[in-house]
Amino acid sequence: MIRVHAELCSGCRQCEVACSFAHSSGSVARSLARIQVVKDEAMGLDYPVLCQQCTDRFCLAACPTGALSIGSLGEVLVDQAKCSGCGLCENACPIGAIRMHDDNPQVCNLCGGTPQCVQACTMQALCYEPDNTEHAMLRPADPGEGHTPDAKARQYAMRETDEHRSRWHTQGWR
Amino acid sequence: MYGYTGLKLVVELTSQSIEKSPLDRDLLHRVIGGRMLNTWTMHEELGADTDPLSPENTSYIAVGPLTGTLLPASAYTTVSARSPLTGIIGDSAAGGHFGPELKAAGFDQVAIRGRSEAPCYLLITDEMVQIRDARHLWGRDIFETHRALIEELGDPAIQVAAIGPAGEKQVKYATIATNMAGRTFGRTGMGAVWGSKNLKAVVVRGRQPIRVADSVRFKALCQEISERIVTHVEFPKRRRVGTTMLVNGLNDLGILPTRHFQEGVCDYVDAISGETLRDRYVVKNKSCYNCSVHCSRYIVTPDGEGEGPEFEPLCSYTSRLDVSDLQWALKMIFFMNRQGIDAISSGETIAWAMECIEKGLLSPADFDGLELCFGNTDATERMLHLIVNREGVGDLFAEGTRSLAAEYGRGTERYALHTKGLDIINGDPRGLKAYGLGYAVASRGGCHLRADPFFEMTNRFEEARERFGTEKAATPFSYEGKPALVEYSERNCLLIDSLTICKNIGQSMEVIDPEFAAEILTAGTGLAFNESDMNASISELRTMERWLNLRFGLDPRDDRLPARFAEDPLPSGPAAGQVVQVADMVQEFYRIKGWSSEGIPLDRPGP
């Protein structure tokens, strides 16, 4: 799985650009990336959100057609032939890591073992740990309205960066 | 098209009309994009009598064919117009995340002319373009404006370029800023142009994929660029402290502007250095879109937090004013970023006043009683507020140093440190002769970014001899080889500004040269770029730039520096005794470029 070192992320989006480029034969668009950097310039928030290979595998559980499966690296695999485009996986993911694009689910598949985002990140904020079998414990997504993937990713990013952002303000300037 | 979108957006605010027009492929092949595209367009569209603050002036926003692609450091955007501060070509470039979003919204260039009857903002998405009411935003600072727009449009991912109260009041050196006021189109008063149009902001949201022609080749070239960047000897330092490395860097060379360029060495440099800033206030790195250096910073201080500062504002509000209070300087920088005012130009008006009082030419009575003495932070802070609001004597200061000195007279002109009305940046040219030449001849006025001839600091003697005819071209105090160095550097910088790429990387880290640029442009756009055609274009556009400036009334005799740099030797430090006299270098520079000794090109530009 790919671990995020939250405080190192500078918000440059190199990871998104590399991901999009690799998965679409040379196009760059945020919507084509399976990693999304949540940014809020008003609070210095920069945090890359991508599939954390959670223990519950909410997306698999939600899929009615069996189109999703787990690969040998722990990554989520999509069988496009079985996918009906229903979008229940997107609804189920608590952090907005699997998203529908043109009726197809997009999610990090670790690029088959050489994740491009990790290679691209010159801040070393992303760390590929293929032997790490600890999977994230995530709370289920709130089924209420207005929980878009972007909103869920933002909530997750706020939680994951809360510690260091609080520290900035309590320890303050030196 | 690949790389390019091939589209220009033309907005006429008086009639509230919006038009998309195709950009000619041959034109793009010729001018590439960014600054060259804007220059060409200004040459086509603006006249000798175009008043900079009138509806006839046009604000052009341009990106380059590689903006938003996989190419690192390619996020730069250029805003151009006739400058209200100088009367000649005005332009300013900024990084951040605005440029790639504009490309993804479908445009290579935006032209905004006319004047809206009521304050408005322009909303550009890949699905529609609208002119929207901004009366509720008028009066707000740039940070608050960005935040309000996010709420209004319900989308935290919008990119916003906005003016603050200073732009609204048409302070002649008002800025446009993006990234919640963290990244600035700082120089030449581009914010005042928007203010004169009642244009509060340009908001962009784009979802179109940006494609390249040969993705395999393009990726390989980008990997080469990435390698050049991360293995460059300056990479670790630039990542740690970015441009703020220049506080110590220039001080070590004896050329850190101190007390309004009266000294080049600052006794309290440790209190104000980039390293001290990093230790005390920086909580993490920030970065422009898709850049491998991450040279920016997020700071948390008792007076606020945010992205920044860069070297120029930092020096402008510390050593240049003889202030050692770093925390105060940061507070001023936040204020200027959000109110939308240029730190260099505002700082120079204040430093000028301080020296005039120090020399007994003027007194506080001439400045509404403000005790503008070197080091007086209270008086400086109050003056900044007056400038932003155009209140009291601030109204005069808002016109810029050249106007101030002309207004007050009495020998104060000697202390107005500008060229062509644009205030000199924070590098003392007496210790860097090529930079001195560069400031004197820069097409937007006293600025280092037209040429940025860092090579004179490198001591790379062998290479200097090969490329510029003499070893001395790689030493800072010599005049030899400098005209050739500046001529070359000027061409490379124009290329970099057109691709568009950050100059820290393209020029200072020597990552881009014309040969490489031709290859990556070809792979990216699918159009056949080659080095020799590109060099011809650069020469042509450089000449066109001069003709445009002449049309705007530029006097070639203003290709010079303020008297201080020619006549007052630096009193101490590593550059002690140095002055810089540019006249002979300027003549040689004209000769190399094929211009007359009067500084007029011998070629007229084609259509």
Side-chain angles (χ1 to χ4, degrees):
Chain A
M1 64 101 100
I2 294 175
R3 183 188 292 282
V4 175
H5 293 286
E7 208 165 354
L8 294 178
C9 178
S10 70
C12 74
R13 299 198 197 278
Q14 278 193 309
C15 52
E16 284 185 16
V17 174
C19 179
S20 169
F21 194 92
H23 285 277
S24 68
S25 313
S27 290
V28 175
R30 296 200 60 212
S31 59
L32 297 172
R34 292 100 189 283
I35 182 168
Q36 297 283 308
V37 181
V38 176
K39 287 170 68 67
D40 189 329
E41 302 295 349
M43 56 175 85
L45 169 62
D46 297 289
Y47 187 85
V49 174
L50 73 164
C51 176
Q52 291 297 294
Q53 303 185 351
C54 61
T55 37
D56 286 280
R57 301 294 187 169
F58 295 102
C59 52
L60 252 79
C63 177
T65 62
L68 300 179
S69 61
I70 307 298
S72 60
L73 303 169
E75 80 277 29
V76 175
L77 297 172
V78 180
D79 185 340
Q80 302 290 3
K82 288 190 182 161
C83 174
S84 66
C86 68
L88 287 171
C89 53
E90 180 187 281
N91 290 352
C93 176
I95 66 173
I98 184 167
R99 300 180 179 220
M100 301 302 285
H101 179 76
D102 289 346
D103 296 330
N104 288 318
Q106 278 179 177
V107 64
C108 172
N109 63 0
L110 296 175
C111 299
T114 52
Q116 295 297 294
C117 54
V118 175
Q119 272 186 30
C121 180
T122 47
M123 282 303 294
Q124 284 149 4
L126 297 172
C127 196
Y128 181 42
E129 299 177 348
D131 302 322
N132 184 349
T133 51
E134 264 180 52
H135 297 286
M137 289 282 295
L138 297 175
R139 294 195 298 265
D142 189 330
E145 239 187 79
H147 273 68
T148 61
D150 276 342
K152 290 186 287 189
R154 189 188 160 91
Q155 274 169 19
Y156 179 61
M158 293 284 284
R159 284 202 304 273
E160 294 299 300
T161 57
D162 183 64
E163 187 275 324
H164 72 245
R165 287 184 298 108
S166 303
R167 187 174 9 100
W168 292 348
H169 296 98
T170 53
Q171 279 182 20
W173 39 92
R174 281 81 68 198
Chain B
M1 289 187 85
Y2 296 105
Y4 294 107
T5 67
L7 282 181
K8 173 180 176 179
L9 177 66
V10 181
V11 176
E12 216 293 340
L13 293 175
T14 314
S15 60
Q16 303 266 299
S17 79
I18 293 168
E19 199 187 297
K20 296 185 200 185
S21 61
L23 282 163
D24 180 65
R25 185 178 294 233
D26 288 336
L27 173 65
L28 291 174
H29 194 200
R30 191 172 141 211
V31 303
I32 303 175
R35 196 177 123 212
M36 279 203 277
L37 176 57
N38 278 355
T39 299
W40 182 89
T41 317
M42 285 198 284
H43 182 259
E44 278 290 288
E45 298 183 355
L46 302 184
D49 52 2
T50 304
D51 180 334
L53 295 174
S54 74
E56 286 68 50
N57 196 10
T58 304
S59 180
Y60 301 92
I61 308 171
V63 292
L66 304 182
T67 303
T69 64
L70 188 68
L71 178 66
S74 63
Y76 256 69
T77 308
T78 297
V79 175
S80 312
R82 186 173 186 182
S83 167
L85 178 65
T86 63
I88 58 172
I89 288 173
D91 56 60
S92 197
H97 296 259
F98 186 86
E101 199 77 29
L102 180 63
K103 178 70 77 70
F107 298 103
D108 292 319
Q109 188 188 41
V110 181
I112 307 169
R113 66 176 60 100
R115 172 182 292 151
S116 173
E117 215 176 294
C120 68
Y121 73 91
L122 187 59
L123 173 63
I124 304 173
T125 78
D126 51 283
E127 289 174 349
M128 52 80 159
V129 179
Q130 282 178 0
I131 302 170
R132 292 166 64 105
D133 186 9
R135 278 171 295 184
H136 56 298
L137 298 172
W138 205 253
R140 295 201 210 190
D141 77 28
I142 295 170
F143 182 94
E144 287 306 324
T145 299
H146 195 143
R147 207 151 53 170
L149 284 163
I150 286 176
E151 206 176 296
E152 181 176 320
L153 297 168
D155 185 355
I158 54 170
Q159 291 297 323
V160 176
I163 62 173
E168 293 171 10
K169 295 204 158 61
Q170 299 173 42
V171 172
K172 291 283 169 65
Y173 39 90
T175 63
I176 299 166
T178 72
N179 237 42
M180 292 263 179
R183 302 232 64 93
T184 304
F185 296 94
R187 310 226 63 204
T188 71
M190 297 292 92
V193 174
W194 283 21
S196 73
K197 296 185 176 311
N198 266 332
L199 176 65
K200 178 67 175 171
V202 174
V203 179
V204 192
R205 187 69 169 100
R207 293 175 174 85
Q208 289 178 15
I210 298 167
R211 287 179 239 273
V212 290
D214 180 347
S215 57
V216 171
R217 179 87 184 116
F218 194 77
K219 180 168 181 183
L221 291 168
C222 289
Q223 264 161 356
E224 216 183 295
I225 289 276
S226 291
E227 248 328 270
R228 289 188 194 185
I229 292 173
V230 303
T231 57
H232 193 278
V233 63
E234 287 184 359
F235 177 73
K237 189 190 284 197
R238 282 185 183 268
R239 193 153 94 172
R240 184 166 168 73
V241 287
T243 62
T244 66
M245 70 183 192
L246 291 170
V247 178
N248 267 326
L250 295 186
N251 197 61
D252 289 344
L253 292 173
I255 55 171
L256 184 70
T258 301
R259 208 177 178 87
H260 198 220
F261 291 89
Q262 295 183 74
E263 304 269 352
V265 181
C266 180
D267 291 337
Y268 47 84
V269 68
D270 283 336
I272 58 169
S273 71
E275 287 74 9
T276 299
L277 174 70
R278 172 104 194 175
D279 287 340
R280 291 180 60 195
Y281 298 106
V282 176
V283 292
K284 71 165 189 179
N285 286 61
K286 287 288 284 178
S287 179
C288 297
Y289 182 85
N290 196 33
C291 180
S292 309
V293 182
H294 317 271
C295 80
S296 185
R297 62 214 52 77
Y298 195 82
I299 62 172
V300 176
T301 80
D303 305 299
E305 62 184 81
E307 183 176 5
E310 297 294 338
F311 166 70
E312 293 289 338
L314 181 59
C315 182
S316 287
Y317 280 78
T318 56
S319 64
R320 191 164 174 155
L321 301 180
D322 211 6
V323 165
S324 59
D325 187 342
L326 177 58
Q327 185 174 311
W328 174 87
L330 298 176
K331 181 179 166 197
M332 293 304 100
I333 293 167
F334 279 135
F335 179 74
M336 289 185 286
N337 284 354
R338 293 182 182 206
Q339 295 294 312
I341 194 171
D342 177 11
I344 301 170
S345 289
S346 63
E348 174 56 23
T349 62
I350 292 167
W352 166 85
M354 287 176 170
E355 186 158 7
C356 290
I357 290 178
E358 185 185 73
K359 297 294 193 281
L361 298 172
L362 297 172
S363 76
D366 291 297
F367 302 121
D368 290 357
L370 282 174
E371 300 272 345
L372 287 169
C373 305
F374 283 110
N376 189 336
T377 53
D378 283 343
T380 302
E381 191 166 340
R382 291 189 53 210
M383 178 54 83
L384 263 183
H385 279 85
L386 293 178
I387 292 173
V388 157
N389 293 306
R390 278 191 176 272
E391 265 174 43
V393 72
D395 192 34
L396 267 174
F397 275 62
E399 294 296 306
T401 320
R402 178 170 62 176
S403 289
L404 269 175
E407 179 77 24
Y408 284 85
R410 294 178 258 170
T412 63
E413 299 89 331
R414 194 187 190 280
Y415 301 104
L417 302 182
H418 69 87
T419 288
K420 305 183 180 70
L422 188 64
D423 310 276
I424 302 284
I425 63 103
N426 289 304
D428 196 317
R430 288 169 287 192
L432 286 177
K433 303 296 194 276
Y435 276 83
L437 173 60
Y439 300 166
V441 298
S443 57
R444 67 173 187 175
C447 167
H448 64 304
L449 291 175
R450 281 326 206 221
D452 211 359
F454 72 93
F455 185 82
E456 72 173 338
M457 294 187 262
T458 62
N459 289 343
R460 279 151 45 179
F461 304 127
E462 196 57 53
E463 192 183 337
R465 201 172 344 161
E466 257 171 55
R467 292 172 64 192
F468 306 110
T470 161
E471 271 186 13
K472 304 232 174 103
T475 65
F477 296 163
S478 171
Y479 289 93
E480 286 180 40
K482 301 303 171 70
L485 169 59
V486 170
E487 191 277 336
Y488 169 80
S489 304
E490 189 183 66
R491 300 166 61 81
N492 214 43
C493 284
L494 181 53
L495 172 61
I496 286 163
D497 281 341
S498 306
L499 285 173
T500 62
I501 291 218
C502 170
K503 215 164 270 147
N504 280 313
I505 284 127
Q507 174 70 0
S508 309
M509 292 171 81
E510 296 175 278
V511 159
I512 293 290
D513 56 62
E515 188 184 340
F516 189 90
E519 282 192 63
I520 197 159
L521 278 167
T522 303
T525 66
L527 301 177
F529 285 89
N530 65 64
E531 194 183 346
S532 113
D533 286 349
M534 267 172 39
N535 278 327
S537 290
I538 292 166
S539 294
E540 186 199 352
L541 265 297
R542 203 171 53 163
T543 301
M544 185 182 287
E545 206 182 34
R546 183 67 162 190
W547 281 113
L548 179 59
N549 263 343
L550 290 166
R551 180 193 300 170
F552 284 156
L554 177 145
D555 183 343
R557 288 169 302 177
D558 286 335
D559 287 342
R560 63 190 163 91
L561 291 180
R564 153 154 296 160
F565 300 121
E567 295 168 17
D568 302 345
L570 275 165
S572 66
Q578 293 291 326
V579 291
V580 59
Q581 277 147 7
V582 299
D584 290 344
M585 287 199 288
V586 169
Q587 282 298 309
E588 175 62 10
F589 180 73
Y590 289 163
R591 201 194 57 74
I592 296 173
K593 288 168 72 159
W595 294 7
S596 73
S597 58
E598 278 82 45
I600 313 284
L602 298 172
D603 291 330
R604 285 223 87 121

